[in-house]
């Protein structure tokens, strides 16, 4: 017969581990996209001081999957929202890619940052979608022209990935930004764990250039979206370890108390001898 202590251990440790594995498997699975409407909407943009019009197929921006994963932070599912091969991003790149011919990596990073800043404005999720947190895909942000810090950061990171630039996500408790490692950049930046490379802040929600923004003194997670699931596992695993430690300590304390009561019950003094 399973003791109460083992039941508590199973409930407190094994079950959360199973949940973490199942959630992780779901987050790593690509979800199907609805092809939707073939109608075309024209959107005007500016890149490197050049005006252009992009034909966006509605089906390419309205068919993205929905689900609770849209409410999670970049540590858990950042990989899903980096989409350099999305049809809308590919079409955008066919226009702005040739415009960057002859640019240095720093010039590309600055131009792409300025593009995202000019193409979007900040909007809180609660006002736009009626939810405290709701993550958009880069094509959705580009089409709608608005988003919060996560949305515009995913769009910028996707464009940096398309350009072959070395970038990371910078995530604090209340903000998400992008860092980029390019020669010639100066200013504010952060290092990845076990790396000497500096990733300079590319803040897509404002108007500052590379390395000019700050994160208000917060120390961010610095990671690539492909590492995001690992960060999620570390966070969840730490929580499980803490929970198991607390439960184990409680079990030991209860066991010590039981032994003390039993010793008192069988002692001569307790029996009145």
């Amino acid at each position: 017969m399973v003791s109460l202590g083992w039941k508590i251990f199973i409930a407190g440790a094994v079950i959360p581990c199973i949940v973490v594995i199942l959630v992780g498997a779901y987050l790593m699975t690509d979800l199907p996209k609805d092809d939707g409407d073939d109608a075309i909407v024209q959107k005007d943009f500016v890149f490197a001081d050049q005006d252009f019009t992009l034909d966006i197929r509605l089906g390419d921006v309205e068919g993205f999957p929905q689900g609770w994963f849209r409410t999670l932070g970049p540590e858990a599912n950042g990989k899903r929202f980096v989409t350099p091969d999305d049809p809308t991003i590919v079409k955008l790149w066919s226009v702005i890619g040739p415009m960057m011919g002859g640019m240095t990596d720093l010039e590309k990073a600055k131009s792409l940052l300025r593009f995202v800043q000019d193409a979007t404005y900040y909007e809180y999720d609660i006002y736009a979608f009626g939810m405290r947190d709701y993550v958009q895909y880069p094509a959705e942000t580009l089409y709608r022209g608005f988003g919060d810090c996560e949305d515009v950061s995913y769009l910028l990171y996707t464009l940096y990935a398309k350009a072959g630039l070395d970038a990371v996500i910078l995530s604090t408790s209340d903000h998400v930004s992008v860092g980029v490692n390019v020669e010639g950049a100066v200013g504010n930046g952060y290092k990845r764990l076990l790396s000497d490379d500096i990733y300079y802040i590319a803040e897509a929600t404002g108007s500052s250039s590379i390395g000019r923004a700050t994160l208000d003194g917060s120390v961010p997670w610095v990671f690539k979206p492909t590492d995001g699931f690992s960060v999620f596992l570390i966070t969840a695993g730490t929580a499980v370890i803490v929970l198991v430690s607390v439960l184990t300590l409680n079990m030991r304390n209860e066991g010590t108390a039981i032994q003390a009561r039993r010793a008192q019950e069988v002692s001569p003094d307790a029996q009145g001898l």
Side-chain angles (χ1 to χ4, degrees), residues 212-223:
R212 300 303 181 186
T214 64
L215 298 182
D216 297 327
S218 300
V219 179
W221 281 101
V222 182
F223 63 93

Side-chain angles (χ1 to χ4, degrees), residues 27-245:
L27 294 177
M28 295 297 287
T29 302
D30 291 330
L31 300 178
K33 181 180 176 183
D34 183 8
D35 286 339
D37 196 339
D38 284 329
I40 300 296
V41 175
Q42 293 186 324
K43 302 283 289 186
D44 295 326
F45 297 101
V46 178
F47 183 80
D49 297 325
Q50 299 184 53
D51 298 331
F52 68 94
T53 300
L54 190 67
D55 293 336
I56 299 178
R57 178 178 172 273
L58 281 181
D60 289 337
V61 295
E62 294 182 344
F64 287 100
Q66 303 293 326
W68 59 270
F69 68 91
R70 291 261 196 166
T71 67
L72 300 178
E75 295 87 351
N77 65 355
K79 182 177 182 294
R80 178 168 286 168
F81 292 97
V82 176
T83 58
D85 297 325
D86 178 86
T88 303
I89 300 300
V90 171
K91 185 176 293 185
L92 170 67
W93 199 256
S94 69
V95 178
I96 67 175
M99 295 182 186
M100 290 188 288
M103 287 187 181
T104 66
D105 284 349
L106 179 57
E107 291 170 338
K108 291 178 182 178
K110 288 182 176 180
S111 296
L112 290 170
L113 173 60
R114 181 63 182 272
F115 170 76
V116 173
Q117 291 171 338
D118 291 343
T120 61
Y121 65 90
Y122 192 97
E123 183 63 275
Y124 291 97
D125 288 336
I126 191 65
Y127 300 132
F129 306 107
M131 303 173 65
R132 182 177 180 275
D133 289 301
Y134 181 87
V135 184
Q136 298 186 85
Y137 284 85
E140 293 176 317
T141 303
L142 184 69
Y143 169 68
R144 291 170 177 152
F146 64 78
D148 66 1
C149 59
E150 284 181 321
D151 302 326
V152 293
S153 293
Y154 284 135
L155 174 57
L156 178 60
Y157 187 97
T158 293
L159 295 179
Y160 278 171
K162 199 73 177 171
L165 299 178
D166 182 15
V168 294
I169 293 291
L170 305 174
S171 177
T172 71
S173 60
D174 59 0
H175 188 62
V176 178
S177 188
V178 176
V180 62
N181 172 34
V182 288
E183 184 178 355
V186 296
N188 302 316
Y190 297 89
K191 294 181 180 181
R192 289 182 72 194
L193 185 64
L194 304 179
S195 172
D196 291 329
D197 294 330
I198 299 177
Y199 292 85
Y200 295 92
I201 299 174
E203 180 52 60
T205 62
S207 59
S208 55
S209 188
I210 304 293
R212 300 303 181 186
T214 64
L215 298 182
D216 297 327
S218 300
V219 179
W221 281 101
V222 182
F223 63 93
K224 293 180 179 293
T226 50
D227 302 335
F229 182 58
S230 299
V231 177
F232 169 72
L233 284 179
I234 292 172
T235 304
T238 301
V240 170
I241 290 172
V242 171
L243 179 59
V244 171
S245 299

Side-chain angles (χ1 to χ4, degrees), residues 238-268:
T238 301
V240 170
I241 290 172
V242 171
L243 179 59
V244 171
S245 299
V246 171
L247 290 173
T248 302
L249 181 60
N250 288 337
M251 289 166 58
R252 288 177 177 175
N253 290 339
E254 290 177 5
T256 302
I258 292 172
Q259 290 177 357
R261 287 198 299 269
R262 288 178 177 173
Q264 186 176 12
E265 290 172 357
V266 300
S267 67

